Amino acid sequence: MAEYVKLLNDVNYRQLKPILDEYQLEEFEDKIHTAMEFVSPVMFTVWEDGFYWEYTGMIHRFDPLTKMIHFRVGK
């Protein structure tokens, strides 16, 4: 069993963290502001620890200094 666990850990399922350039960041901010203005649901794909997770919900607030998004996940 231990060999199987080691084999699974050796297989590279994890993905590298994507690097975004300044243009992509501006494009994301524009989409976020548009979704907030028109109260539209958005879908985020979030990279965390080598895996991607998808969340759908509404954006309540966006802090441009810290780039923090206050987001409520939909049902």
Side-chain angles (χ1 to χ4, degrees), residues 1-27:
M1 190 71 155
E3 297 91 18
Y4 182 69
V5 171
K6 183 181 180 322
L7 179 66
L8 284 176
N9 287 334
D10 289 342
V11 175
N12 192 7
Y13 287 112
R14 300 176 74 159
Q15 297 180 9
L16 297 176
K17 183 176 181 178
I19 306 296
L20 301 176
D21 63 8
E22 208 48 46
Y23 176 75
Q24 290 171 319
L25 292 173
E26 268 186 46
E27 188 177 334

Side-chain angles (χ1 to χ4, degrees), residues 3-56:
E3 297 91 18
Y4 182 69
V5 171
K6 183 181 180 322
L7 179 66
L8 284 176
N9 287 334
D10 289 342
V11 175
N12 192 7
Y13 287 112
R14 300 176 74 159
Q15 297 180 9
L16 297 176
K17 183 176 181 178
I19 306 296
L20 301 176
D21 63 8
E22 208 48 46
Y23 176 75
Q24 290 171 319
L25 292 173
E26 268 186 46
E27 188 177 334
F28 287 144
E29 285 185 25
D30 289 343
K31 289 180 182 181
I32 289 168
H33 288 294
T34 303
M36 286 174 54
E37 182 178 346
F38 295 107
V39 192
S40 304
V42 293
M43 184 174 76
F44 281 103
T45 303
V46 179
W47 181 90
E48 183 179 356
D49 294 331
F51 297 98
Y52 287 101
W53 304 97
E54 289 188 352
Y55 299 100
T56 303

Side-chain angles (χ1 to χ4, degrees), residues 53-68:
W53 304 97
E54 289 188 352
Y55 299 100
T56 303
M58 306 293 281
I59 299 172
H60 292 286
R61 207 170 52 223
F62 175 68
D63 185 4
L65 294 176
T66 61
K67 307 294 185 198
M68 179 67 84

